[in-house]
Amino acid sequence: MLGSTRSRHRLSAAAVLALCGLLSAGTATGTAGAAPADMTAAASTQATEAAAATPHRVLFDNTKAETAGNADWIIGTSQPDPLGQDATPTAETDWTGAISAWGVALQKTGDYSLKTLPSGNTITYGTTSALDLQNFDTFVLPEPNVLLSAAEKTAVMKFVQNGGGLFLVSDHTGADRNNDGYDAVEVINDLMSNNSVDSTNPFGFSVDSLSIGTENPRAITDTADPVLNGSFGKVTGSIIRSGTTVTLTPSANSSVKGLVYRSGYSGNTGAFFATSTFGSGRVAVWGDSSPIDDGTGQSGNTLYDGWNDTAGTNAALALNATEWLSGGEGDGGGGGGTSCTAAQLLANPGFESGATSWSATSGVITNDSGQAARTGSYKAWLSGYGSAHTDTLSQAVTIPSGCSAALSFYLHIDTAETTTTTAYDTLKVQVLNSSGTVLSTLATYSNLNAATGYTRRTFDLSSYAGQAVTLKFTGTEGSVLQTSFVVDDTAIDVS
């Protein structure tokens, strides 16, 4: 009922529970109100299925002048498939490129499928191309020297938002290797500040316009961080050989975290390597390309072996970060997996048992015919009154240690608002700790996201493994026109 205002005369939670005794147990299989999932949902499903067959799929970019000047930031000259040069590499010189050591180290584990996006191609997401980002777990931009187009920036941001890993490698300001007026600092900052998805500091960091000569930044002390303590080794520090740093803004994204800092720096300034999350994806940024340079490559280039520079543990940092970005947490150095038992953690995930297992504002969990459930009869209907109102829906879970975890739910948004620019009514999806402190706001939807039918939304919760957390939905409505946020078929799957 598009644009309809919700009645306030709704069943209380107690009445809902009473009626539940008359209903048969289990979740119905009807599809009333269902609509085909959008491209985002299809891409997410496709990525999940493909990942089961090939755990870690990594695409290295070579479309943004990565080999201009003296640079040679490729894993191999055989593109898109480096195996065309040598199908069983044992040494980094078996593939030709200044970052071939990175590629060969991943290839030798037997747990990675690597490709290069060759020069002349376009970065895409949601197309039928074999090199489309939806077919990969991680996308590496190694010192890009050409601005991404508007469509390419949308593709990259959507890729991360929907669960992809993005590895950004910068260099010092002024390193414009192809003389087009842009260096890696400007290219990366433009991606984050001038895109159609989220230009409000989405990752919580910006790259500094600096040219730092020679320093050896050190890693923070954090024995639990998967990048600093991954299966490829412990990270103690890195190197700067003409590079830059990033400035962190936790108020823009609370997940941003500096892992390696220049001497004398900490907190929000002087971070040389940092990680973050966005949507259900992950991001890593490195302030210099020297650490990934293995010293060999195509003839005519002046290269430096930072990969093996003993002043830093650069190989471990690059490989652990790739593992983390690709969805692994300590399982990438040769395969294996974890002892985690696959399970779905949420009780009453489709709401067919009424208000049991969930804490919710009165009337949120309902079989009211004003909005159709995606499956069965019940759903969670937040807001929809057309007056100032706040609804909440939450459930506490404990995510087992050593497990990967993914939240999914189907969301339908119906609104009577006519604006195309102002978010009057919102739905926040958050993770809280046992004390009620917000650990992360996974997403904020609004009347601007209204659409026909249900859309599947997914988020990575693996970083909360070993913790007791609460999943919470909060619908906040303004004082005039209604917006309904309807949630159904929720899940937190661990594996």
Side-chain angles (χ1 to χ4, degrees):
M1 297 178 66
L2 184 62
S4 62
T5 302
R6 184 183 195 177
S7 169
R8 287 190 176 277
H9 301 291
R10 308 206 31 247
L11 294 174
S12 66
V16 171
L17 284 170
L19 283 175
C20 286
L22 302 177
L23 299 175
S24 59
T27 302
T29 58
T31 56
D38 62 8
M39 182 180 295
T40 295
S44 176
T45 301
Q46 180 177 351
T48 300
E49 293 171 349
T54 306
H56 305 311
R57 303 157 300 160
V58 184
L59 180 66
F60 289 81
D61 186 71
N62 186 30
T63 70
K64 300 295 174 274
E66 280 92 350
T67 61
N70 283 326
D72 196 37
W73 311 128
I74 56 174
I75 59 172
T77 52
S78 176
Q79 300 177 10
D81 190 352
L83 296 179
Q85 184 174 9
D86 189 323
T88 56
T90 57
E92 63 91 1
T93 52
D94 291 336
W95 290 354
T96 303
I99 58 173
S100 62
W102 189 350
V104 169
L106 294 174
Q107 182 66 31
K108 287 169 64 178
T109 69
D111 205 25
Y112 287 81
S113 173
L114 311 177
K115 293 291 188 293
T116 296
L117 186 63
S119 176
N121 282 260
T122 300
I123 302 167
T124 62
Y125 180 73
T127 73
T128 58
S129 170
L131 297 177
D132 187 276
L133 290 180
Q134 70 177 351
N135 299 317
F136 296 89
D137 302 306
T138 294
F139 182 47
V140 182
L141 273 170
E143 197 188 333
N145 262 248
V146 176
L147 290 176
L148 278 67
S149 69
E152 288 179 317
K153 286 183 285 189
T154 298
V156 172
M157 296 300 294
K158 285 289 188 182
F159 167 68
V160 180
Q161 189 177 51
N162 292 316
L166 177 63
F167 204 143
L168 301 168
V169 181
S170 186
D171 199 5
H172 61 92
T173 188
D176 178 12
R177 300 182 186 276
N178 62 334
N179 298 312
D180 70 342
Y182 299 100
D183 57 30
V185 174
E186 295 163 318
V187 173
I188 294 172
N189 283 338
D190 179 72
L191 165 66
M192 300 184 294
S193 64
N194 185 26
N195 68 78
S196 65
V197 178
D198 187 340
S199 293
T200 58
N201 202 346
F203 306 148
F205 62 78
S206 58
V207 185
D208 301 325
S209 294
L210 295 174
S211 184
I212 305 164
T214 299
E215 292 189 19
N216 300 320
R218 297 295 89 192
I220 64 171
T221 301
D222 187 339
T223 58
D225 187 90
V227 175
L228 299 180
N229 305 277
S231 63
F232 291 97
K234 183 175 181 59
V235 174
T236 58
S238 187
I239 62 169
I240 300 177
R241 303 295 184 261
S242 293
T244 188
T245 54
V246 297
T247 295
L248 312 184
T249 310
S251 60
N253 185 326
S254 60
S255 71
V256 70
K257 179 181 181 181
L259 301 185
V260 179
Y261 284 86
R262 295 178 65 187
S263 177
Y265 289 83
S266 62
N268 297 334
T269 59
F272 181 57
F273 193 103
T275 59
S276 184
T277 62
F278 176 67
S280 55
R282 298 172 175 181
V283 183
V285 61
W286 212 336
D288 189 6
S289 53
S290 296
I292 61 172
D293 190 343
D294 60 32
T296 67
Q298 300 176 90
S299 64
N301 293 315
T302 303
L303 303 171
Y304 167 80
D305 188 4
W307 188 261
N308 295 303
D309 191 319
T310 56
T313 47
N314 301 306
L317 183 52
L319 297 169
N320 286 346
T322 307
E323 177 181 65
W324 176 74
L325 290 169
S326 301
E329 305 246 29
D331 65 337
T338 69
S339 60
C340 185
T341 301
Q344 196 289 111
L345 302 182
L346 290 175
N348 188 21
F351 308 107
E352 294 305 304
S353 296
T356 60
S357 304
W358 293 89
S359 296
T361 306
S362 178
V364 163
I365 298 176
T366 178
N367 63 351
D368 188 311
S369 61
Q371 292 287 344
R374 177 180 176 270
T375 59
S377 301
Y378 281 79
K379 67 275 173 180
W381 182 357
L382 296 91
S383 301
Y385 291 101
S387 59
H389 185 81
T390 298
D391 279 328
T392 60
L393 171 74
S394 64
Q395 186 174 146
V397 297
T398 298
I399 300 176
S401 297
C403 290
S404 295
L407 164 67
S408 65
F409 58 89
Y410 285 84
L411 175 64
H412 169 56
I413 303 176
D414 172 293
T415 189
E417 300 283 1
T418 58
T419 178
T420 60
T421 58
T422 305
Y424 289 116
D425 313 310
T426 61
L427 176 73
K428 287 186 176 181
V429 185
Q430 298 175 309
V431 177
L432 286 64
N433 64 16
S434 57
S435 300
T437 301
V438 175
L439 299 176
S440 176
T441 297
L442 301 176
T444 301
Y445 304 103
S446 75
N447 49 280
L448 300 178
N449 302 118
T452 302
Y454 282 84
T455 299
R456 187 173 185 261
R457 310 290 183 175
T458 61
F459 301 91
D460 184 11
L461 300 186
S462 301
S463 60
Y464 303 107
Q467 299 183 48
V469 297
T470 296
L471 170 66
K472 184 176 183 180
F473 299 85
T474 302
T476 304
E477 197 168 21
S479 59
V480 183
L481 300 174
Q482 76 88 25
T483 298
S484 295
F485 301 99
V486 191
V487 178
D488 204 357
D489 297 327
T490 65
I492 295 179
D493 293 302
V494 297
S495 59

